[in-house]
Amino acid sequence: MKLAVTVQVASSRRGVPHARSLNRWAQAACAPYLPRNDSALELTIRVVGAAESRRLNRTWRNKDKPTNVLSFPAAPLAPGKNGVPTRFPAKEFSELGDLAICAPVVAREAKEQGKPAQAHWAHMVVHGVLHLLGFDHENDRDATAMEAREVKILAQFGYDNPYA
């Protein structure tokens, strides 16, 4: 299965990584979980400003503030094995979903946490894609599993553990 990533930039481009980087990070997060077939799967990454992020967060999560990344899965999840969700129960799925990444929040967090901006952007893409694949951090066990996957994927790009 091939992942087709569309990038929309609806905020200032200042500090926003190139679409090729966003695509590479998304591909790396998806690769272990994509079925081996000839179909295509679509992902949209929308880079937003604080106002749009706040509006989306308020509408979908009842939190009246902008946030770093929001994930909107396109299809329901299928049960998985060994803690790994199965996202693709049938061939007819053509969309993975959408990510909304808030550029000013990501920039602020990177600065506050003393992280390179590129590394934090990569983390937000990987984190968001894993949510689309069905991973979450609602309890300690799930958080530990999701974080381990994030660390492994980010290490492929030479980025440090974002949780250290």
Side-chain angles (χ1 to χ4, degrees):
M1 182 170 273
K2 179 179 134 184
L3 180 66
V5 179
T6 300
V7 176
Q8 302 172 349
V9 180
S11 73
S12 167
R13 288 190 175 272
R14 186 170 180 255
V16 174
H18 194 279
R20 282 189 305 267
S21 295
L22 299 170
N23 185 7
R24 277 194 312 269
W25 300 327
Q27 297 285 345
C30 272
Y33 309 105
L34 293 178
R36 306 258 187 256
N37 61 41
D38 292 332
S39 58
L41 190 64
E42 297 175 16
L43 165 67
T44 298
I45 299 174
R46 183 171 171 84
V47 179
V48 301
E52 185 172 348
S53 177
R54 180 180 180 181
R55 187 174 65 255
L56 290 167
N57 204 19
R58 183 176 54 235
T59 300
W60 297 103
R61 297 178 66 226
N62 294 318
K63 296 186 178 187
D64 193 19
K65 63 180 183 176
T67 190
N68 50 24
V69 61
L70 292 165
S71 301
F72 300 97
L77 299 173
K81 297 183 215 171
N82 302 323
V84 178
T86 303
R87 187 70 177 93
F88 313 102
K91 285 185 173 182
E92 67 268 10
F93 288 113
S94 63
E95 292 183 40
L96 179 59
D98 301 329
L99 298 181
I101 303 177
C102 184
V105 170
V106 173
R108 179 184 40 111
E109 287 177 346
K111 186 175 182 178
E112 289 172 355
Q113 297 169 18
K115 298 177 181 176
Q118 284 284 108
H120 196 48
W121 272 96
H123 183 209
M124 293 302 96
V125 171
V126 168
H127 186 87
V129 168
L130 288 178
H131 275 309
L132 294 176
L133 291 167
F135 293 95
D136 67 45
H137 41 81
E138 297 299 316
N139 60 54
D140 289 343
R141 181 173 164 249
D142 291 346
T144 299
M146 185 172 176
E147 289 170 11
R149 284 177 174 80
E150 291 170 343
V151 169
K152 184 177 179 181
I153 294 163
L154 293 169
Q156 295 173 15
F157 297 98
Y159 296 133
D160 291 336
N161 178 347
Y163 299 103

